[in-house]
Amino acid sequence: MTTSSNKPAQELTIKNTQNTAEKTSSTRRNAKQYTEAIAKLFVVNHLIMETEECSIEQRTQQREQKEREAQQANLEKILKIAYDVSNEDSANMPDPDWLAQFMSIAKNIHSANMQALWGRVLKKEVIAPGSFSIKALNTLKNMTKKDAHAFQHACSLSCSFGTDQGRKLLTGAISHKMSLLVIPKREQSKLTLGQYQLPYHELLSLIELGIIHASELESGSISQHQALPLNYQNHHFKILANSKISTLTYYRFTPTGNELAHLLPVSLYEGYQTDLINLLNRYFMVESS
């Protein structure tokens, strides 16, 4: 009895599922349709549509006109963003060559997220001309939205230590402890950046863009007597080594990476900070300052 009473409901569910699947299938575009849509968007769909309404010269003019209009709209959006985020701080006109390069690149930035970045670039350059090199502009031009997210994650994990204010990605610590043997015992702990939303393939992308140096570096030996300042996202610490030879391992931002990092606000990754402090406490005396 139970089976027969449930049968109509089951059939209805199956039919509804099939109808939903059919609707989804019918509304989903295939590769041909997407290609046709792209061709239409860029006014190069003449052979696909097999129309003879316009000459090739007219079609070229239509395509170029549409491209110029899109570029004009992109520039207007970016300049409006720069205007909206600006205030009444003292400012100067950027270098003409820099400004020409900026406009040449910015006109082809279509993504709203990337336009927001370019707006902030202009705002900062107006306040302090020379903040961004032309090399930094070209690097930003080659960034995809995915690259920008990876860069944002890298910046949220970055710190600085010592007198060098350049950003670094701390990846671990090494201690060489004296033993009865002639050779000191090496002990190392690592932080896997992939655990904090920066997987290795994204780190490689940032390296290829010239934002982070390719080699993982090791610092000089950290003193047992003179505290080393360490700054993580405006949280300040001082560290003293527990053993005679203790070092830090890290990836270093390039000058271009440090320039572009000024575009992003301070962003604390609490899980990383907790694990970083726990790691440091194994090899150093850590004091919050």
Side-chain angles (χ1 to χ4, degrees), residues 146-178:
K146 186 176 180 181
D147 292 331
H149 286 151
F151 182 54
Q152 186 174 5
H153 290 147
C155 287
S156 73
L157 302 179
S158 67
C159 68
S160 63
F161 57 81
T163 57
D164 178 12
Q165 296 305 305
R167 290 180 180 244
K168 303 172 183 70
L169 290 172
L170 273 182
T171 57
I174 301 173
S175 176
H176 298 267
K177 296 182 178 179
M178 302 305 296

Side-chain angles (χ1 to χ4, degrees), residues 10 17 54 78 80 86 122 127 156 185 196 206 245 256 278:
Q10 290 173 346
T17 303
C54 302
I78 290 169
K80 180 61 164 59
S86 296
L122 182 58
I127 292 174
S156 73
K185 181 182 177 183
Y196 314 101
L206 298 179
I245 305 176
T256 298
N278 288 338

